[in-house]
Amino acid sequence: MMKSDVTNLSGFIPVRGMRDFLPNEARRIRHVEELSRKLARLYLYDEVITPILESHELLAAKAGEEIRHRMYTFWDLGGREVALRPEFTPSIARLVATKMKTYPKPMRLFCVGSLYRYDEPQYGRYREFWQANYELIGSSRPEADAETLMLTNDLIQQLGLRNYWLKIGHVGILRGVMSQEGVDEQKQSRIMQLLDKKEWDTALKLIKEIGVSAQCVKTLEEIFALKGQDAFQVLERVRKNLKDYDTAIAATNNLREIIELIKKGGASFDMSIEPGFARGLEYYTGLIFEPYISGMDIALGGGGRYDRLIELFGGEPTPAVGVALGIDRLALAAKEQKIRHKAAIQRRVLIIPIRDELSSEAVGLSLRLRREGISAEVEVMGRTVSRALQDADRRQVTHVVILGPDELKEEMVVLRDMKNRKQKTVKMEQLSEAILKDAH
Ligand code: HAM
């Protein structure tokens, strides 16, 4: 037998954690993306496009241990240490600190695109995923925080999701207590990381090892245990627990103001106030939140206030707050709740010439229909009319136009409505009107 020197290049599948999106799945993802763009327009967020590849140092600076560890990092041929972006926020902060330095505040910036984290692939967790990201730059006022919460609620609502709630906390409460006890920022971040992973006992153990006061341990224990849907009641209990931890009390008051704005403004959504909740990213300084739906134990998004990141990248001290909604997870949630959205293409026309000689007429007609905004395709498989009609049914074609020599002589075509299976002869010049008139 002759030995083949050709490597077998068949049967490839995507690299672990990467996915192909077939038309139905791609449509679901793009539908969420389109909604997120619509929302950006409604809330007046301008889109910016930043590179997928950034300096590792920029992305790693405040990413937190977990994400830092999971970045796709490598050296490019020029010897630079670079990484695929695991999130948008550092890129936006970089822009605001440099090229957009002189832009008037507030700045509302929107990005959408793919991100990369070497996470363990599982339900709703992928190594390539998409976010719709909104950042409101330049305001430290609670109105700005309230806006990101309302925007998050609006996107979930517009998608039609039910039984969802926002988990809400404030980094300033725990950090306030720890700072007053002299715990340095690095140790605080370590503790916040543990809390993000819901490792409360380990966090408490670490706190005790650091050597804080007994009152501090007790206060933190109580805060970890507190949570509830009645925001004002939970916050009142937090305040009582905090006794004279002044910065933590100020943080609690800030959270109360934000929630008051939302409630008085009439945006109503379920919330769970959890003062002991933390997020993995290290740059947060104030409000933090994550939306959830029941039955799905993974966050649909995440956001919060980060008032020091832009300054860290060499910009003016600039307060900022933002949120990233996970497009994949929102699409997955919509699928779980069996939410159907209207197909983007409502009318789909197939043009079938009954003879080869009429192909140029078919091509010409398809061009004309498309110019009039009607999605059209020409039969390109050389099928007979009856075979082409069977195929049209399978592919959800709504209208078929049949071109025959006799009708064409009279400037007429046969228009078949695939839904009610009725066909009629219409004048060529009235074809678009006849197609558009049908309610599909
Ligand atoms: P994050 O919580 O790391 O926050 O990510 C936000 C959302 O992205 C998550 O809630 C989830 O929906 C989605 N996501 C994250 N990792 C994966 C994954 N491996 N597979 C699928 N979806 C995923 C941020 O990224 C911050 N930059 C948010 C922010 C913006 N904070 C202020 N401004």
Side-chain angles (χ1 to χ4, degrees):
M1 203 165 74
M2 261 190 36
K3 210 173 142 201
S4 160
D5 56 357
V6 179
T7 323
N8 184 0
L9 286 176
S10 60
F12 283 119
I13 55 166
V15 170
R16 182 162 155 79
M18 300 288 150
R19 293 164 296 162
D20 295 315
F21 292 87
L22 304 188
N24 273 339
E25 294 152 312
R27 217 172 283 131
R28 251 196 293 274
I29 293 281
R30 294 297 183 220
H31 171 63
V32 180
E33 185 183 322
E34 186 39 49
L35 279 183
S36 76
R37 285 184 187 282
K38 212 164 109 187
L39 206 72
R41 289 193 289 272
L42 274 177
Y43 275 79
L44 299 170
Y45 282 65
D46 288 318
E47 183 171 0
V48 285
I49 301 174
T50 57
I52 287 182
L53 205 64
E54 289 268 15
S55 130
H56 172 263
E57 204 180 352
L58 174 101
L59 297 172
K62 285 284 169 187
E65 207 35 55
E66 183 70 15
I67 295 182
R68 202 175 297 138
H69 174 67
R70 296 185 183 282
M71 285 194 320
Y72 280 87
T73 306
F74 55 98
W75 273 269
D76 70 8
L77 292 179
R80 300 169 197 90
E81 194 183 17
V82 292
L84 298 182
R85 61 187 180 196
E87 52 156 343
F88 285 114
T89 311
S91 305
I92 299 282
R94 171 180 62 70
L95 272 188
V96 175
T98 56
K99 292 181 186 159
M100 298 186 80
K101 214 180 191 146
T102 57
Y103 276 55
K105 314 271 183 331
M107 265 182 250
R108 288 184 170 88
L109 302 177
F110 167 71
C111 337
V112 63
S114 60
L115 303 136
Y116 303 84
R117 295 183 191 176
Y118 199 78
D119 278 329
E120 195 46 37
Q122 53 192 283
Y123 179 76
R125 191 176 292 279
Y126 317 102
R127 289 184 179 167
E128 180 184 51
F129 59 95
W130 277 259
Q131 284 183 351
N133 186 91
Y134 306 81
E135 310 285 358
L136 173 41
I137 318 275
S139 168
S140 57
R141 294 176 63 92
E143 292 89 317
D145 303 75
E147 179 173 307
T148 45
L149 288 167
M150 291 187 297
L151 188 153
T152 302
N153 175 52
D154 280 1
L155 184 59
I156 298 175
Q157 220 171 46
Q158 287 191 13
L159 192 57
L161 292 176
R162 303 171 300 273
N163 305 329
Y164 69 91
W165 71 91
L166 265 60
K167 175 157 125 185
I168 300 176
H170 195 299
V171 170
I173 300 175
L174 296 180
R175 282 202 187 262
V177 173
M178 291 192 279
S179 295
Q180 207 161 322
E181 288 280 334
V183 179
D184 69 44
E185 233 179 85
Q186 223 179 354
K187 290 205 181 88
Q188 287 181 24
S189 297
R190 177 81 196 104
I191 290 161
M192 301 302 260
Q193 291 286 330
L194 290 168
L195 295 178
D196 176 46
K197 289 194 256 167
K198 303 192 172 61
E199 294 179 20
W200 290 285
D201 290 344
T202 323
L204 271 174
K205 200 168 143 235
L206 187 59
I207 289 163
K208 284 179 194 158
E209 277 168 20
I210 291 167
V212 295
S213 69
Q215 193 205 323
C216 172
V217 175
K218 189 164 167 275
T219 306
L220 291 177
E221 252 172 332
E222 280 163 354
I223 289 176
F224 292 170
L226 272 174
K227 72 172 181 183
Q229 289 179 355
D230 184 334
F232 299 126
Q233 199 184 49
V234 176
L235 291 177
E236 198 40 49
R237 283 168 61 198
V238 175
R239 252 172 68 106
K240 280 198 184 127
N241 275 320
L242 287 173
K243 296 191 177 74
D244 42 33
Y245 286 109
D246 295 339
T247 35
I249 291 174
T252 315
N253 290 340
N254 174 240
L255 187 51
R256 168 193 291 279
E257 274 184 282
I258 296 166
I259 291 169
E260 257 170 12
L261 272 171
I262 290 169
K263 298 227 174 206
K264 287 189 182 153
S268 71
F269 49 83
D270 289 344
M271 45 180 97
S272 170
I273 305 296
E274 304 189 18
F277 142 63
R279 291 188 19 82
L281 295 152
E282 264 169 28
Y283 47 66
Y284 292 117
T285 55
L287 165 83
I288 47 168
F289 61 96
E290 289 174 351
Y292 287 89
I293 58 162
S294 54
M296 232 171 115
D297 195 27
I298 43 177
L300 300 179
R305 172 165 288 284
Y306 53 101
D307 286 348
R308 290 202 290 272
L309 191 63
I310 295 163
E311 193 180 346
L312 182 76
F313 294 156
E316 294 290 312
T318 310
V321 60
V323 60
L325 278 314
I327 291 183
D328 312 67
R329 291 198 184 166
L330 287 170
L332 190 61
K335 193 175 166 197
E336 292 286 349
Q337 295 196 347
K338 302 195 168 37
I339 294 165
R340 293 175 67 88
H341 66 91
K342 260 196 168 168
I345 302 174
Q346 289 177 16
R347 290 178 186 78
R348 234 184 131 119
V349 179
L350 171 67
I351 304 164
I352 314 174
I354 64 171
R355 283 200 203 141
D356 279 355
E357 305 87 84
L358 298 176
S359 293
S360 57
E361 270 81 0
V363 169
L365 180 60
S366 71
L367 269 181
R368 220 192 73 200
L369 288 179
R370 291 183 203 116
R371 281 188 189 133
E372 286 168 20
I374 297 171
S375 307
E377 61 178 316
V378 174
E379 200 332 279
V380 290
M381 303 299 286
R383 293 182 174 124
T384 61
V385 174
S386 67
R387 292 290 299 279
L389 283 174
Q390 273 170 22
D391 180 64
D393 254 346
R394 261 211 327 262
R395 292 185 307 121
Q396 279 128 36
V397 166
T398 57
H399 297 83
V400 168
V401 179
I402 302 167
L403 301 185
D406 299 341
E407 289 84 1
L408 276 179
K409 259 187 237 143
E410 310 286 318
E411 300 266 308
M412 308 277 268
V413 292
V414 173
L415 175 64
R416 184 178 172 91
D417 185 325
M418 295 300 287
K419 210 164 166 192
N420 59 25
R421 307 197 165 271
K422 285 196 182 129
Q423 64 182 49
K424 57 189 173 194
T425 312
V426 293
K427 274 221 146 40
M428 192 75 112
E429 69 208 33
Q430 283 160 4
L431 180 62
S432 308
E433 204 185 318
I435 293 169
L436 290 171
K437 210 170 64 199
D438 282 343
H440 272 277

